[in-house]
Structures are given as C-alpha cells and as structure tokens.
Amino acid sequence: MANDKKSESRIDVGGIVPPDAPTIADATAEAVSRDDSVIASPKTERSTARLLAGDVVGGLAGLAVVLPQAMGLGIVLFAAMGLDASAGALAGLIGAAAISLASGIGGNTLGMISAPNGPVVIFLIGALASIADSGIVTADLPTALAILVVLAGSFQMVLGLTGGGQFIKYIPYPVVSGLVTAIGLLMIGSQLPSLLGGSEGVSKMTQIAGGLMIEAMNLTTTANHPVNFGQANLLLVPAATTLVTLAGIYWIPRLLPRIPGIVGGFVVGFAFFHIVTAFIPGTVPSAWLVGTIPGPESLARGVTLTPIAQLPWSLMIVSGLALAVVASIDCLVTAVVADASTGSRHNSRGELVAQGLGQIAAGLLGGCGGGGTKGSTLTAINAGGRRWPAVVAGSGVVMLVLFLRPVGDVLPISVLAAAVIHVGIHMLDWRIVAWMRTRKARVDGILALAVVAATLVFDVATGVGVGAVGSALLFIRSQSGATAVYERTTGKMRHSLRHRGKEEKALLEAHSDRILYIELRGHLFFGTVDRLFTELHEDLLRPVWIVINMRRVQSLDMSGLNLLHQMATLITSNGGQLLFANIYPDIVPDRKMGKLLHLLRPGEKGFKAKTFKSTDKALEFAEDCLIAELTGQRPIVSLKRVEIDDNELCQLMRPKTRAALRKILRPVNLRPKERFYMVGDTDAVLFLVIKGEIDIRLPTDKYHYKRLKRVGPGGFFGEMSFLDPAPRVTTAVAVTEVEAMALDPAAIAKSTEPAVKEAIHALRLQLGNELAEQMRWASAEICRLEQW
C-alpha cells in the first residue's frame, strides 16, 4: 500500500515529479485544517534578503527545467499546424512568460511555476485539427490558436470568480487518469518524427528502408533510388541524441542529486549532439536544430482578424470551455503538490483568475496556453523559492527572448524531444493495469481505458466527453445497485413517544407487523425507487401502515415520484396507507407529498398518502389507526380521564395502601404551554397524570428542543429525580389542560403512618420495574442502531 500511495504523485500532467515528492493525498490532508483563502507565511526568522535570495535561486532553477519543456511543447504544437520549429519555440516561451508572470504576481500559490504543459498542448493539437477539418487553412490556424487560448483564459477566470473550480474536484479519478495517460501517449508519439530528424529524415529513412527491402528481394534498384548505408547511420544521430538525453535525465540526479534531471539530461544531450556532428562532414541539417528564435517583432505573427468570420464558433466555444477545465484540473493539482512542499494553502479562486489572465495574455501575444508544471515547481521550491520564483522564471524567459535568441541556432530539437518524451512517460498511469486485475476496481479500469481509447482515436475533447458520460453511467449504476433503504423495522421496535395504556400496548405488540418503519437515503430516481418497490411489494399487498422517513433523501425526480404514486395506489387498494415524514422543502415543495402525488393524476381519489413533520407524529397516527381498527374506537386522549387508583403505578397496590398514598398527594392543574419543571430545577417531585397530555422535552438551544416522550392519562413523569434527587435534565410542558397529582418528598418525610411508608415502598418497586422495562427497550434500540 505504501508503494501505491507514493505512486499517486507520479502521475504528472505537466512536469516532472522527483522520487521524493509528497503525494496529493498527503497534501490534501494537510491542507484541510487550514483556511482556504490564507497563504501561510514563511518562517519569520528568515531575513528578507535570504527570502529574496531563495526566490531568485529557486526561480532560476525552475527556469532551467521549464525552458526545454516549454520550447519542446511549442515546437510540437506548431509542427502539428505545419509551421516552423523556431516559431513554435517562441510561442512556448511566450506562454511560459505570460502565465508564470501572471500567476507569480498574484501569489496565490507559493512556489508554483506555470508554462505550456502536456494536457493543454495535446488538447490544442486535437482542437486545431478539428478546426482545420472544418475548412480553415493553415495560414489562419495561428488566429484560431490565439482565440482558443483567450477563450480558455476567459472561462478560467469565470470559474475562479464564481467558485466553479470546486466542481472540478468531483471529476472521477479514473477519468482524469485515463485522460492523462492518453495525453502522455500522444506526447510520446508526437516526438517519433523528431527522432529521425523531422519530416525530411522520415522520408529519407522510408526511402532507405524501401531500398533495403528491394535488395533483400534480389531486385535491382533504380538510379534514382540508391541505397546509402552511411546515410542511414547519419539519420540515427537525432535518435541517439534523444536516447542519450533520456539517459542523462535518469542518471544525472542519481550521480549528482542537486542537479535536476531534465537540466542534467539537457547538458549531456547538447554536448553529445555537437560532439557527434563535429565529425560529420558538411553542415548539420537545419531540420535538426530549432533555428534562430524570432524576436519581439514576431509577437502574434500570423494572427489576423480576417478569418474570424469563417471560424467554426460553436466548436471554438466548446473547445475553449473544455480546455479551461483541463487546464484548471492540472493547475489545481499542481497547486496542491506545491502546498505539500511549502506547508502553505493556495487560494484556488485567485489562482484560477491569475491563470486565466496569463492565458489571455499568452493568446493575445501569439503564445501557447498552459498551466502549472510540477517538475519546475518542485525544483524551484526545493531550491528555496517561495513567493517570487514564478516572477523570476517568467522574467528569465523574457530576457531569453530579448537577448539570447541566437541560441536556437545550436539547440537540437532532439534534446527538446527527449524532455517532452520524459514528461509523457511520467504521465502514464500504470495503475490502470492493476485496476483491471482487481474485480472491484475493474469497472474503473474499463472507464479509464475507454477514455484512453477515445482520446487516441479521436481527440482530447472526445475523451473528456466519454469520461463525462461514463462517470454518469457509473453513478447511475452505483445508485441503482445500492438499496435506498437505510433502516427497516416494525412497530414492535419502533413506536411513537405517546404514552399508551397496558391494553393499547398489548394490542400494538400483538399486531406490530402491521406498522412498518422505513428510512430512506440518497437519491430517489427510477432505479432506486424501482428497487424499493420490489423490496416492499409483498407489504404493499397487505393492510399495513408504512411510515417512510425521508430525512436522509437528497433528491427526488419525476420518475421516482411516479413509482411512489404507484406504491400509494397499490397499498390503498389493499387497505393500507403510506405515511411520509421529515420531508425537506427542497425535495418536495410545501412538504406535502400527498398533494404532490395527486398532481400526477388530477382528480384521482384512488389512494391515501399523508405527510407529517416528524416521524413520531407519523408513528402515532399509524398506531391510532391500528387501535381504531382493532377496537372499533379511535383513542381520544384529550377526553380520557384516569383516576389514581387506575394509574399504572398504583394498580397493583392494596386499596388501603392507595388510600394512604392519596393523603400525601397534592393536586396540580396547568393550562397549555405551562411548565411543570424546567432543566436544572431541583424539586424531585413525581407527577401522576389524571387528565391531559404533557411533553417531556430535551432543549437543544434557546428555541429548539427534542421531544422525548408524551405522557397521557394514567401515566407518570419526573421519576428520575424522585428516585435519585438531582437537577432536572428535561423540561415538562403541558400540551392540553392537565390535571395531575404531585408526590413531594417533603410530604413523604412529614408522614409517620406505616401505610404511607408501605405505599412509597410499593411505588418505588413499581418505578424500578418500569425503569427496567425502559432500559431493556433502550438496549434493544442501541443494538438496532448498531446494525446501521
């Protein structure tokens, strides 16, 4: 598991992750405890000069890493459009300068350096290919590129300002993994022509290969197609340079840990190329070198307003939005990795706005789009960069464009190709193979492979679309496969808080299976409600009352509502009824489920469905209906009167004992909403109810409470403080006009009659029996709750 955890950080969507990089999960866990809008300050003991020095060194280190990547990806993009390599290198540098400066000045993520990266460039290649297929000529593609990048930046700013970046977190990981893997494969594949020295090298190698096949078949070659084995060896120089550069990227950090791999590989590959070509007669082919990087006068070269009317704007807008999502995902993931290294917390909204501004600037100047790059970011942070390394790196890119443009004349494209291939290799998520081998994760693996296939066969936008559809199908599958029933029990285990006499208790106990309690959860749509219908079908054919608690329901669509209507109709036809409780207004307007169900069939009277504000009220209604059906008379508690002799606590006493008890009881009459006692009172009085109803409440704050019990005629309350004098923990409130008798410990203490002492002894014994029964029920309730 440890190896799996570390591998999370190896999926790079725009840079190179060193072996000791923290995982994204670690960064997220650390960031949760901090405020999202505040960036932690560096250690106060470091002086300002030392901080600035660290930012300068970190910025230069990050610049050394980001330059090959930015130039290489720019060349890849422009080569795909049929434009020259030097213009592509300039476009990559412009993108790196614009986005890094905008992000660095914003300072929303400590240490992060931004530039053109794999996901953005590969997406742009696919989008521009689709635009070209619509009839746009090559000369107009720079204009399309500029508009795409500006649109993406604008959408990124909207995501940041509206907080829409939070929705990116809900994209399933298999979709991201498949998309990143496909982009890595496309990046590797895009560099294969560079291994042979560009398009000219490919055509020559094809010619040589054809000649070799002819000779192998003992055929004669024509004078126009001679076979030159020395020329074939010469064409291997770019491939050999790429391989040497890759070897340097891999081995240099192991030999010299302080040197970033991509920097060491660049130096080794550059030296190898020029040493080898020094022994080759003649001039080095121009296709092997970047060429002189155009100057500032070439900014936005080829970008004109002429083709704007001919552009496929529907495709442009959709592609711009998709590009904004891809760039935002990569940016926020890089920000989390940076947080893990700096111990800070990025401002996601501000970062997306800054990145959007950088994208817009890059597009207007004719550059590539991009986002955060992990390799350069971690290199800058490890070198001491915190607040300003992105600004230093961006300024360094500007200086290169202004004063070091001739370096392109000696810069091998094959070295930059190695940097791109290295980034692509690190983007491959090999865990997809492990998912396919694991039964529980196989569906995720299939989704990831589907995204990979769609991206490779079509383009990145199609891959994103396949991922979105696949995610929706997986969600529906998971919801349909899981039951919507959170809890199911009968009236024997789940009863109302209303006090019932022994006869009513016995009736309810004997017929408890005719009251069902169902608590639902999650999203109620066709799949989940259909499964609920199947689970309850046998019960719907009986004369039962089904109480449906919707406290945990998150949504209800029309398909689910229609199935609930069918359930209500079916159970009504069999003499039962559906009772709904705890419905939130955002699920059902006005919380009237019966009214909403009737709207489906206006005028229909074939079913009954009632809605209650609480589960207790629904259970009480079901119990009253059951008692009324069994006895032929609905219990009317408000008119009932139970004298002391018939009270539950006194029924088993001898007449002489009850007479002695009545002598020390005092009458108490309260009107509705008056209190017998409140939380914290120390009266320790026991109350026996003759008429009316009392709520026993547990206050939760100044205005809210939880009702624990409703006591009616023949019941009692206040027993806990009576048995064990202590401050009250509940409040007793009269619901109706109440007549009661109070038993005060002070009156007991004053009496010397033996019959009174016998009555109190019998009373305490009966209270003990009642409390034992309540504890037995409470233990069973705890066991029931433990199951859920």
Side-chain angles (χ1 to χ4, degrees):
M1 292 299 292
N3 291 336
D4 290 342
K5 187 176 181 181
K6 283 187 176 181
S7 66
E8 288 186 18
S9 63
R10 304 295 177 265
I11 304 175
D12 191 341
V13 288
I16 299 89
V17 180
D20 59 346
T23 65
I24 294 174
D26 295 336
T28 304
E30 181 179 357
V32 166
S33 61
R34 293 186 293 271
D35 181 63
D36 185 56
S37 61
V38 180
I39 296 180
S41 301
K43 295 180 179 179
T44 55
E45 59 267 19
R46 299 179 64 187
S47 65
T48 302
R50 187 175 180 183
L51 285 173
L52 291 175
D55 287 335
V56 171
V57 174
L60 293 176
L63 174 63
V65 175
V66 83
L67 278 178
Q69 177 178 320
M71 296 175 68
L73 290 173
I75 292 172
V76 170
L77 176 60
F78 272 55
M81 293 192 296
L83 303 175
D84 60 283
S86 60
L90 176 63
L93 293 175
I94 291 172
I99 304 174
S100 269
L101 286 173
S103 175
I105 293 173
N108 297 287
T109 305
L110 293 184
M112 188 168 82
I113 294 179
S114 303
N117 54 31
V120 171
V121 170
I122 295 300
F123 185 95
L124 284 172
I125 291 174
L128 290 171
S130 299
I131 293 171
D133 291 340
S134 68
I136 302 301
V137 298
T138 301
D140 294 333
L141 288 180
T143 301
L145 170 63
I147 295 175
L148 269 180
V149 176
V150 170
L151 283 174
S154 302
F155 285 127
Q156 269 191 288
M157 290 185 65
V158 172
L159 287 173
L161 293 173
T162 61
Q166 299 295 323
F167 293 103
I168 294 174
K169 299 178 182 179
Y170 298 102
I171 297 178
Y173 184 75
V175 175
V176 178
S177 177
L179 186 63
V180 170
T181 299
I183 290 173
L185 292 173
L186 290 173
M187 289 178 64
I188 296 171
S190 69
Q191 296 309 297
L192 295 181
S194 299
L195 300 181
L196 301 176
S199 58
E200 294 181 6
V202 172
S203 61
K204 288 182 179 180
M205 186 60 75
T206 302
Q207 176 184 331
I208 293 170
L212 290 173
M213 291 180 63
I214 292 173
E215 286 208 351
M217 298 172 61
N218 294 321
L219 298 177
T220 58
T221 60
T222 63
N224 295 330
H225 297 88
V227 178
N228 189 334
F229 294 99
Q231 187 181 29
N233 293 330
L234 179 63
L235 291 176
L236 293 178
V237 172
T241 302
T242 301
L243 294 176
V244 170
T245 305
L246 287 172
I249 292 174
Y250 180 80
W251 285 107
I252 292 297
R254 287 157 176 77
L255 301 175
L256 302 171
R258 287 185 168 273
I259 298 179
I262 199 167
V263 176
F266 179 86
V267 174
V268 171
F270 184 87
F272 173 83
F273 177 85
H274 285 286
I275 290 174
V276 172
T277 54
F279 295 96
I280 297 176
T283 60
V284 177
S286 60
W288 292 5
L289 301 171
V290 173
T292 302
I293 299 174
E297 68 279 359
S298 299
L299 294 177
R301 184 173 61 181
V303 179
T304 62
L305 300 179
T306 304
I308 288 182
Q310 286 74 36
L311 291 175
W313 279 101
S314 58
L315 176 61
M316 296 283 291
I317 293 174
V318 172
S319 299
L321 179 58
L323 178 59
V325 173
V326 171
S328 298
I329 293 173
D330 184 57
C331 165
L332 295 180
V333 170
T334 306
V336 171
V337 173
D339 288 346
S341 297
T342 59
S344 63
R345 176 63 172 167
H346 71 277
N347 182 345
S348 59
R349 291 191 174 192
E351 186 60 52
L352 289 181
V353 171
Q355 292 277 331
L357 287 172
Q359 299 268 35
I360 293 173
L364 294 176
L365 295 174
C368 297
T373 56
K374 297 181 188 63
S376 56
T377 296
L378 292 173
T379 299
I381 292 173
N382 292 335
R386 289 298 183 270
R387 176 61 182 86
W388 302 105
V391 175
V392 174
S395 301
V397 175
V398 174
M399 298 300 291
L400 173 63
V401 173
L402 292 177
F403 303 109
L404 300 176
R405 293 180 290 107
V407 74
D409 290 331
V410 294
L411 184 59
I413 293 178
S414 52
V415 173
L416 301 179
V420 175
I421 291 173
H422 177 69
V423 172
I425 291 173
H426 278 75
M427 293 174 68
L428 305 181
D429 190 353
W430 296 104
R431 285 176 297 176
I432 296 177
V433 178
W435 296 344
M436 295 298 298
R437 294 177 179 175
T438 305
R439 184 174 61 86
K440 291 184 177 180
R442 191 164 295 144
V443 175
D444 294 325
I446 293 173
L447 175 59
L449 289 178
V451 174
V452 172
T455 304
L456 295 180
V457 175
F458 300 101
D459 50 38
V460 177
T462 304
V464 172
V466 170
V469 173
S471 301
L473 292 177
L474 282 182
F475 175 78
I476 294 174
R477 176 179 176 272
S478 64
Q479 291 295 318
S480 300
T483 178
V485 177
Y486 179 78
E487 180 183 356
R488 172 176 175 154
T489 187
T490 65
K492 184 174 183 178
M493 294 298 299
R494 191 73 181 237
H495 49 72
S496 72
L497 298 175
R498 176 178 290 280
H499 172 265
R500 301 286 182 181
K502 288 189 176 181
E503 293 181 359
E504 292 181 349
K505 283 183 179 179
L507 285 174
L508 293 175
E509 182 77 14
H511 301 275
S512 59
D513 63 327
R514 293 190 58 186
I515 297 178
L516 295 181
Y517 172 81
I518 307 293
E519 184 169 351
L520 303 181
R521 63 179 172 184
H523 303 275
L524 299 185
F525 60 100
F526 180 82
T528 54
V529 180
D530 181 69
R531 180 164 180 174
L532 175 65
F533 200 158
T534 302
E535 293 180 13
L536 297 179
H537 187 263
E538 292 185 3
D539 297 311
L540 296 173
L541 301 176
R542 301 189 296 128
V544 298
W545 287 265
I546 300 180
V547 177
I548 299 180
N549 185 356
M550 300 184 67
R551 178 181 57 177
R552 300 177 186 272
V553 173
Q554 296 174 278
S555 65
L556 173 65
D557 69 357
M558 188 58 67
S559 299
L561 191 64
N562 187 60
L563 281 174
L564 289 177
H565 180 276
Q566 295 181 34
M567 292 170 61
T569 303
L570 180 59
I571 194 173
T572 301
S573 65
N574 289 284
Q577 191 171 5
L578 286 185
L579 309 175
F580 296 92
N582 294 323
I583 300 178
Y584 294 114
D586 55 343
I587 303 297
V588 176
D590 300 326
R591 303 186 180 184
K592 300 293 185 181
M593 179 61 78
K595 180 179 179 180
L596 185 61
L597 291 176
H598 276 292
L599 290 177
L600 293 176
R601 305 285 192 278
E604 182 182 0
K605 299 180 180 180
F607 71 91
K608 298 178 181 179
K610 292 183 69 65
T611 307
F612 298 86
K613 291 184 178 180
S614 67
T615 306
D616 178 60
K617 289 288 187 181
L619 287 169
E620 181 181 328
F621 177 84
E623 291 171 354
D624 289 345
C625 290
L626 179 57
I627 292 172
E629 182 178 306
L630 296 173
T631 63
Q633 182 179 358
R634 190 177 184 88
I636 306 177
V637 179
S638 59
L639 302 179
K640 190 175 181 180
R641 183 181 182 89
V642 178
E643 301 296 340
I644 293 299
D645 289 351
D646 296 322
N647 191 281
E648 294 180 8
L649 295 178
C650 304
Q651 286 178 339
L652 300 180
M653 293 181 184
R654 295 185 302 171
K656 183 179 179 180
T657 305
R658 287 198 294 265
L661 180 62
R662 282 196 296 270
K663 292 180 181 180
I664 59 175
L665 293 174
R666 60 180 175 86
V668 178
N669 297 319
L670 267 69
R671 291 177 296 178
K673 297 185 179 180
E674 290 186 333
R675 294 179 175 87
F676 285 85
Y677 55 78
M678 297 181 61
V679 172
D681 290 352
T682 57
D683 55 303
V685 177
L686 176 68
F687 297 93
L688 307 180
V689 183
I690 297 176
K691 183 181 178 182
E693 291 185 294
I694 300 92
D695 270 356
I696 308 300
R697 300 172 178 176
L698 179 66
T700 55
D701 57 34
K702 186 176 180 181
Y703 301 104
H704 299 87
Y705 61 87
K706 173 67 176 177
R707 190 174 74 167
L708 301 180
K709 183 169 61 173
R710 173 163 288 188
V711 183
F716 58 90
F717 60 96
E719 65 274 14
M720 297 297 294
S721 294
F722 178 77
L723 292 175
D724 182 20
R728 303 276 191 182
V729 295
T730 58
T731 297
V733 181
V735 179
T736 63
E737 294 279 350
V738 175
E739 294 182 26
M741 301 298 288
L743 180 58
D744 196 327
I748 297 173
K750 292 179 181 179
S751 178
T752 58
E753 294 185 26
V756 171
K757 292 183 179 181
E758 179 184 346
I760 299 304
H761 176 74
L763 189 66
R764 292 181 183 274
L765 181 62
Q766 187 62 24
L767 283 174
N769 292 334
E770 291 288 340
L771 289 176
E773 183 179 345
Q774 293 180 21
M775 289 298 298
R776 194 175 293 112
W777 176 85
S779 298
E781 185 74 2
I782 291 173
C783 292
R784 181 185 63 82
L785 292 174
E786 179 66 23
Q787 297 175 2
W788 301 98

